[in-house]
Amino acid sequence: TYIGSIVASVNPYKSIPGLYDCATVERYSRHHMGEIAPHVFAVANECYRCLWKRHDNQCILISGESGAGKTESTKLILKFLSAMSQHSLELSSREKTSCVEQAILES
């Protein structure tokens, strides 16, 4: 659920098909936060929009207890930002996107 510009989420401790795939990245990249269901991609998209359109510095705080999914949330946000940066550079090759994404995630 959203609490202002904050998304409160729960780690489901299992894979949910379609929840974090490329189609979901695309869907959230086309909407502002609050227009569609709460998602970690919505927060990442808002951050990305503010960075490029308003030229505002951005920070995403990920908090929670051990096992809450902080590391996975960080990876998902980086996945979204990587996809958006590739899209903004108009690179359509999936290989280039996965290469950049993999380098970021491995770091």
Side-chain angles (χ1 to χ4, degrees):
T1 186
Y2 290 119
I3 305 167
S5 62
I6 298 170
V7 65
S9 62
V10 177
N11 185 351
Y13 297 101
K14 65 179 181 177
S15 180
I16 299 174
L19 189 58
Y20 304 115
D21 62 9
C22 291
T24 306
V25 169
E26 181 64 27
R27 185 170 56 251
Y28 279 88
S29 72
R30 290 179 278 142
H31 292 89
H32 291 280
M33 188 170 354
E35 291 180 347
I36 55 179
H39 198 286
V40 68
F41 290 163
V43 173
N45 188 45
E46 186 68 17
C47 177
Y48 185 81
R49 286 176 187 253
C50 289
L51 182 65
W52 288 108
K53 300 206 186 224
R54 297 184 202 156
H55 303 286
D56 290 338
N57 293 330
Q58 298 298 302
C59 174
I60 297 175
L61 175 65
I62 301 172
S63 178
E65 295 186 14
S66 179
K70 297 178 298 295
T71 301
E72 292 304 314
S73 293
T74 300
K75 289 179 189 177
L76 292 167
I77 287 170
L78 291 173
K79 173 183 179 174
F80 184 91
L81 294 174
S82 173
M84 291 302 294
S85 67
Q86 292 301 307
H87 180 69
S88 69
L89 293 173
E90 298 181 354
L91 296 175
S92 60
S93 170
R94 288 181 184 223
E95 291 176 14
K96 289 181 182 176
T97 300
S98 64
C99 180
V100 171
E101 179 181 334
Q102 193 60 36
I104 290 171
L105 294 177
E106 286 177 2
S107 69

